[in-house]
Structure formats: structure tokens, C-alpha cells
Amino acid sequence: MKSIHIELLIAKHLRNTVFKNSAVFIISLFIGALLFFAAISGWENYNSQNETSEKYQHQSREDWLNNPDKNPHRMAHYGNFAFRKSTSLSVFEFGMEPFFGNAIFLEAHKQNTANFSEAGFSNSIMRFGEISIAMVFQVLLPLLIFFLGFNSVAAERENGTLKLLLSQGISWKQLLFGKILGVASVIMMLFIPAVLVLIFVWMLLQNFTLSTDETIKMLLFILFHFIYLLFFCVIAVLISALSKTSKKALISLIGIWLLFTIILPRTTQAVGAYIFEAPSKVQFNSNIEKDILKQGDSHNPNDPHYKAIKDSLLRAYKVDSVQKLPFNYSGFIMTEGEKISSKIYNQHLEDLLQIYERQNSFSKAVSFLNPYIAMKNLSMGLSNTDYDSYIDFQKQAENYRYNMAQKMNALQIKYISNKKPAATDKPLTIDKDHWADIDSFHYEPKGILTVLKTEILSIISLIMWIILLFVFIKIAAKNLKAI
């Protein structure tokens, strides 16, 4: 109890000393204003994007249902749209969302990528990233922590009070933990109000109807950011204790901040992309087209692959022309063509995703050297704004597209005659009521278990860093000198 009392007294003294500096008030107010601006910006961005997605998803659905009687294959080419709605936590962590599209046009025989990203319609300032609450937590608060803690021990050494403290029976361990607690208590004056506002906004966005999955994500978002900030509190005090002067401590801490938040992230991304080079979009699409042409062209009646299918059908049904088959031959061929093109596309996509997975694995491995990367990856995963969430959206949209195209082909097989109408006849169509058989697209975000599985390395990295730093404190407590 006595030990804890001493550490609390040291923490209280540091907190009182910090607030004697008017610069701390100014910086704290500035960061508080940034947090407020980030919350407003995130709120507006979330509402704007989701209102737009809902509006055009509804309009796309209405356009689909309002089509007149038509040939099902024409409907498959008419296509549909898939829109991706943001999750409530994306208000606080924009992640990669502004740079990835949130809408995909879905049509038969063709796989499109997401379009209409926010960054695509923004100026150059937007492309450097927006101010989000997560960015303030992950980049600016650590810098403030370093500003608060750089002289926590070094100043005591410079003015001679360190020897006095140690001579009064205070151990290095008590001193270090007291200083860490003091820095943490100051930073919590910003963090806790921001978290309370964050929780209120998050609940408001969901009309106070909370799901277990989203609640766990929110709690983990807060918990890991708390651990992350605690890490920087420990770093600040340790570097201050190891430095002879406050100036050297400040220079060292600024160097660490630059390394963690700017240099290593950018270097890691560039090195990963260089080692595991991915094909360009043009090359990717060209490779798919080449493989599809090798397999056969379903729109070419003389294509060897599809001619062989036709001959086998004629033999199986013992007829001499496709017009005599008991089902629509063209629809059958389109079904086969869709299977082949989708299979080839998915094979190429998996190959591409494996390259990206290697790039991301490299980045996650570097998180053991840089807690900022670990926190950023985890934050984006919990907010559903990471790369994996984008790919998950692409896959959900592709599954929907494939099922839509095949359902249209099945309707053609069942209801469209093989006999071509005369020039004066009505075109071969089916009733428009069949369009309602295709459900509207609904994007389902990743669940918490999937997120934790994906970001397990980031979680281990953050926990490892905290454990390692407290081990360093014990070692430092035995070896540090007052002079």
C-alpha cells in the first residue's frame, strides 16, 4: 500500500507540474478541437455515404423491377448495382474506405471492380488522408505523450532532485511507474472524454439498437487504443530516464515518433509492393480475357468447345437441330459460358489476392517492429475499413452477380423457345414478374471472429510490446544511475 501511495504522489506531482506549462493547455485544446472536428467530419461522411448508397441501391432495385417483359439474357446484360454501406465504427477510422469504391456494376459474363471512391472525386489534400479520431489517437496523442514525458525524469536529473528522491528511499521502479502513471493520467483527460463522445455518437448512429458483434468491436477498439497509448507513455518515461538531458530525450522521442508513424509505414508499404509485385489492372484483365478465349467463346456458334457441346446434346436427345431440343439451347450455352468465365476470373483473382496477401503479411510482420502498424491494421479491421473488408465486398458482389446471371439463364432455358421469331412476330420474352425472383443485394460486414482471426498478429504484437516494455522497466530499475 505504501508503494502504491508513493507512485500516486509522484504521478500527482508530475500532473501538477505539467499543467503549470501554458503550452500544454494550448496543445491539449488544439488536439481537443481536432477530435471534435474529426467526430463531425466522420459523422457527415458516414451519413452522406450511407444515404447515397441507400438511395442508389433502392433506385437500382426499382429500375430492375420496372423493366418490361424481356428476354432473360437481355436482363442479365442490363445488370444491377451492388452498394457497400459503411459500419458505425468507420466514423472514427476511415482506413482505406475513401480510396476504395463502394459500388460495383454487376452484369453477365463480366466481373467489374468497385468504383466511385470518395478520393476519386476529391482534391489532392484528400488523397493525403483525412483527419479521423483514430488518426488523432494513433499519431497526434503519441506526439503529445512524448512532449509531456520527455523531461519527466531527465529534468529531475538536470536540476539535482533525482538524487534527492532516490536518497529518501524511493526506488527506481517506484519512480518510473509513478512517472508513467502521471503521464497516462494527463493523456486520459483527453482520451476518456473523446471515448465517451465516441460511444455516444456510435450508439446514436445505430439508434441505440446495439448488436453483440458491433459492441465487442467497439470495446476492443477502445481497449487496444488504450494499450497503444500506454505503450507510448512507457516509452516516453524510459527514454527520459535513460537520457542525460531533457534535450537529448526530446530529440530521441521525436526520432522514434517519426520512425514509427511516418518512415516505417511508408517504407514497409513500398518494400512489400516491390518484393511481391502485382500485375497492373490492364494486365490482369488481359490475362483473364486470353484464358477465356482459349477455353471458348460462348457467343460464337462455331467455337470448337461449344460446338462439341451442341453435338453431344443433339446426340443425347436424338434430334438433328437445336430448335428441336426440349429446352432453350442458347440459355444452356450461356449458363456454361458463365461457369467457365467465372471460374477463370476467380482463379486469376485468387492468384492476385495471394500476392496482396504476401504484401500484407510483410506489413503485419513489421508490426513486431512498429506498434503503430499493428494498431492501424487492427483499428481498420475492427472498423471494417481495411483491405480485407474491401475484398470481402468484392466477393459478396461477385457471388450475387453469378447467381443473378445463372437465374436469368435458367429462366431462358425454361421459358424461351428455340425457334427464332419471324420479323413480324413479337420478340421472345417472359413476364416481368420474374424480375422479383432476384433478391436485392445486401452487404454483410465481417464478424468479430473473422476480424480477430485476420488481425491476430497485430494483437500479439501490441501485447508483446507492452510486456517487453515492462520487462525493460524492471531491467532499467536495476541499472539506472542518478547521474
Side-chain angles (χ1 to χ4, degrees), residues 153 157 162 166 172-173 175-176 237-244 472-483:
V153 180
R157 179 180 280 113
L162 181 58
L166 295 174
W172 268 107
K173 184 178 178 182
L175 180 64
L176 293 176
V237 173
L238 270 179
I239 295 298
S240 182
L242 292 168
S243 301
K244 296 293 183 183
F472 285 158
I473 288 175
K474 286 192 173 185
I475 296 172
K478 294 178 181 178
N479 296 288
L480 283 170
K481 304 296 180 183
I483 301 174

Side-chain angles (χ1 to χ4, degrees), residues 286-477:
S286 176
N287 292 338
I288 292 172
E289 192 65 31
K290 287 177 183 177
D291 284 353
I292 290 174
L293 290 175
K294 286 178 186 177
Q295 189 67 40
D297 183 0
S298 59
H299 289 81
N300 180 6
N302 297 316
D303 183 272
H305 176 76
Y306 292 97
K307 187 176 184 303
I309 293 175
K310 181 180 74 172
D311 293 341
S312 65
L313 286 173
L314 294 178
R315 286 195 300 271
Y317 286 92
K318 298 179 180 179
V319 293
D320 57 5
S321 70
V322 295
Q323 283 75 24
K324 296 178 181 179
L325 289 171
F327 55 84
N328 183 268
Y329 170 74
S330 179
F332 182 87
I333 291 298
M334 291 301 106
T335 300
E336 178 68 15
E338 193 66 59
K339 285 180 183 178
I340 291 172
S341 62
S342 295
K343 183 178 179 182
I344 290 172
Y345 172 81
N346 288 330
Q347 286 174 344
H348 280 270
L349 180 61
E350 284 303 317
D351 291 341
L352 181 64
L353 293 183
Q354 284 181 11
I355 296 174
Y356 289 142
E357 180 61 32
R358 294 189 192 102
Q359 292 180 1
N360 291 335
S361 295
F362 178 80
S363 174
K364 288 176 182 178
V366 174
S367 69
F368 285 97
L369 301 175
N370 185 359
Y372 169 76
I373 293 177
M375 188 65 252
K376 187 65 177 176
N377 288 336
L378 187 56
S379 177
M380 290 192 298
L382 291 170
S383 306
N384 208 52
T385 58
D386 60 335
Y387 175 75
D388 288 333
S389 297
Y390 168 75
I391 293 300
D392 185 54
F393 169 55
Q394 287 272 157
K395 289 183 176 180
Q396 288 186 38
E398 170 56 19
N399 288 335
Y400 178 88
R401 184 206 68 82
Y402 180 77
N403 290 329
M404 176 193 74
Q406 293 299 52
K407 283 181 180 179
M408 290 296 102
N409 289 330
L411 289 172
Q412 181 174 346
I413 291 171
K414 185 175 181 180
Y415 294 111
I416 299 298
S417 171
N418 280 312
K419 295 180 180 178
K420 293 184 179 181
T424 56
D425 291 343
K426 181 182 177 182
L428 297 173
T429 62
I430 63 172
D431 192 279
K432 65 179 182 179
D433 291 342
H434 287 288
W435 311 152
D437 294 342
I438 306 295
D439 294 329
S440 182
F441 176 80
H442 176 70
Y443 170 64
E444 196 66 40
K446 294 184 300 178
I448 183 61
L449 292 178
T450 304
V451 172
L452 293 177
K453 184 180 177 181
T454 304
E455 299 300 337
I456 188 65
L457 287 180
S458 299
I459 295 170
I460 293 171
S461 171
L462 285 175
I463 295 172
M464 182 208 73
W465 270 106
I466 286 293
I467 293 171
L468 196 61
L469 284 178
F470 279 101
V471 170
F472 285 158
I473 288 175
K474 286 192 173 185
I475 296 172

Side-chain angles (χ1 to χ4, degrees), residues 85 159 206 212 218 235 267 289 386 401 468-469:
K85 288 184 66 176
N159 59 31
Q206 301 177 89
T212 303
M218 179 62 171
I235 281 283
T267 304
E289 192 65 31
D386 60 335
R401 184 206 68 82
L468 196 61
L469 284 178

Side-chain angles (χ1 to χ4, degrees), residues 92-115:
F92 317 113
E93 171 61 90
F94 301 151
M96 298 183 179
E97 200 165 64
F99 304 97
F100 288 138
N102 61 355
I104 303 177
F105 179 58
L106 311 171
E107 57 181 320
H109 309 305
K110 188 176 181 182
Q111 292 83 2
N112 298 309
T113 54
N115 292 305

